[in-house]
Amino acid sequence: MASLSVPPVLTSPRHDAIALHRAFKGFGCDSTTVINILAHRDAVQRGLIMQEYRAIYHQDLYHRLSTELSGNHKKAMLLWVLDPVGRDATILNQSLNGDITDLRAATEVICSRTPSQLQIMKQAYRARFGCYLEQDVTERTYGDHQKLLLAYLGIPRYEGPEVDPSAAARDARELYRAGEKRLGTDERAFIRVFTERSWAHLAAVADAYHHLYARSLDKAVKSETSGTFELGLLTILRCAESPARYFAKALHKAMKGLGTSDTTLIRVVVTRAEVDMQYIKAEYHKKYKRSLADAIHSETSGNYRTFLLSLVGRDR
């Protein structure tokens, strides 16, 4: 369930485009107007506003925003105005080809998306950046982590809720034999099960594993693997069990301790606001006894804070 709040009666995309242009004119930018418009329009509406802006002013709204805004507010807004698929493709390109390679971000985006989302994302990546996503993944990753990501990108998986309990139990036993039962780890077995099975099936495998061995599959992955390979497996498993709980934890880690990982905070808030942010907020409050809005308020400031809180929405 999305947290995005859209007015019951919308102004036209043309009216919004003109209002944005006025907000850019003169000395400084009227950021309040920019946030009030763009933070309360869905992806389709934002796309229409960008079309109208280009038609009226012969200028790209994305480029204009990049010259008018600054800092983390600019980073968040520039991601937000992209269509969701193009946004994921852009995050992946920046993570894999930016000044600093961010394999954690790339792994999160790939391993937390559905097979149908990944197929569309790969097409968008190719169209936008002129190369195949798999090619960039191959050049920037290595070993079992690379094998996991390429298999996850390439193998079609069932997306429905149906599960065969006996098949789930077989997979649980296979993972036990591949990991905790033996000396060393058969990484191929983990890659095969985690990349070929649906989320519903993998959640059932985790339940079966706990029932059979009185130990969580999550802990087994942690004890048997490490590094970015472990990160990829855990992302797949935790999103299979509860995407909202996974992203609530990611947000908490981003704001925990001294300093804030603004890159993670921006990425999760912007990519989930139109998807399941209400569920993430509920999981966050349940686990950390504090509202997500309150946590963001204490870790951010200025227009950056106002924009993120507009996306997250008020707590009900």
Side-chain angles (χ1 to χ4, degrees):
M1 186 176 173
S3 61
L4 179 67
S5 170
V6 177
V9 180
L10 280 170
T11 52
S12 70
R14 182 179 180 81
H15 183 278
D16 284 342
I18 293 169
L20 286 169
H21 188 69
R22 286 177 183 152
F24 299 145
K25 292 178 72 176
F27 183 72
C29 172
D30 180 2
S31 294
T32 300
T33 296
V34 174
I35 292 171
N36 285 342
I37 294 172
L38 293 176
H40 298 287
R41 302 293 188 272
D42 65 26
V44 172
Q45 293 156 354
R46 296 193 304 275
L48 292 172
I49 292 168
M50 293 180 82
Q51 287 179 22
E52 287 289 346
Y53 194 91
R54 188 179 295 109
I56 298 169
Y57 302 110
H58 308 291
Q59 186 180 26
D60 185 61
L61 178 57
Y62 183 92
H63 176 73
R64 188 63 190 264
L65 287 167
S66 72
T67 63
E68 294 289 342
L69 307 180
S70 61
N72 288 320
H73 179 212
K74 170 181 172 178
K75 292 176 185 175
M77 184 65 80
L78 290 181
L79 273 183
W80 174 247
V81 296
L82 296 173
D83 66 281
V85 175
R87 181 194 302 136
D88 277 350
T90 298
I91 292 170
L92 282 170
N93 186 260
Q94 291 172 348
S95 302
L96 295 169
N97 297 308
D99 294 335
I100 300 174
T101 303
D102 187 352
L103 294 182
R104 179 171 290 274
T107 301
E108 177 195 282
V109 171
I110 291 171
C111 295
S112 66
R113 302 307 192 253
T114 66
S116 53
Q117 287 173 328
L118 290 174
Q119 290 306 309
I120 301 169
M121 185 199 306
K122 288 192 293 183
Q123 295 170 12
Y125 195 96
R126 169 74 169 160
R128 192 174 288 252
F129 302 110
C131 63
Y132 291 104
L133 174 57
E134 296 91 335
Q135 180 182 340
D136 279 349
V137 168
T138 301
E139 291 178 358
R140 298 292 183 270
T141 61
Y142 60 90
D144 293 318
H145 180 231
Q146 180 188 94
K147 293 173 186 174
L148 179 74
L149 294 186
L150 291 176
Y152 208 71
L153 283 167
I155 297 174
R157 286 174 296 282
Y158 176 62
E159 295 185 39
E162 291 82 11
V163 171
D164 179 352
S166 60
R170 281 198 302 273
D171 281 342
R173 286 190 286 269
E174 180 181 357
L175 290 174
Y176 182 71
R177 289 193 298 269
E180 293 187 299
K181 189 178 180 181
R182 58 176 280 171
L183 186 65
T185 306
D186 179 3
E187 290 85 359
R188 290 173 300 176
F190 278 86
I191 292 171
R192 183 169 59 253
V193 172
F194 277 65
T195 61
E196 295 181 6
R197 307 297 190 258
S198 71
W199 275 1
H201 180 93
L202 200 53
V205 171
D207 287 339
Y209 197 98
H210 190 270
H211 176 74
L212 289 167
Y213 307 112
R215 181 172 167 83
S216 75
L217 182 55
D218 191 288
K219 288 182 179 177
V221 169
K222 287 180 179 178
S223 67
E224 293 297 321
T225 62
S226 62
T228 50
F229 180 49
E230 174 192 345
L231 174 68
L233 292 174
L234 289 177
T235 302
I236 294 168
L237 177 60
R238 290 169 180 173
C239 285
E241 294 180 312
S242 171
R245 192 160 62 239
Y246 168 81
F247 284 111
K249 186 172 183 178
L251 286 167
H252 179 70
K253 286 178 70 174
M255 295 183 282
K256 181 179 161 188
L258 189 64
T260 300
S261 174
D262 291 294
T263 301
T264 301
L265 179 58
I266 290 167
R267 182 177 68 249
V268 175
V269 169
V270 167
T271 59
R272 308 313 291 189
E274 291 180 277
V275 182
D276 55 359
M277 184 56 74
Q278 293 290 21
Y279 299 127
I280 293 170
K281 286 160 64 178
E283 287 288 344
Y284 193 95
H285 193 275
K286 178 180 173 183
K287 186 168 180 63
Y288 304 111
K289 313 304 179 192
R290 182 187 190 187
S291 76
L292 176 59
D294 182 49
I296 291 174
H297 188 277
S298 67
E299 294 293 327
T300 58
S301 62
N303 293 318
Y304 174 45
R305 171 200 282 167
T306 303
F307 179 56
L308 290 189
L309 291 178
S310 296
L311 296 184
V312 168
R314 295 183 180 276
D315 294 297
R316 291 186 174 87

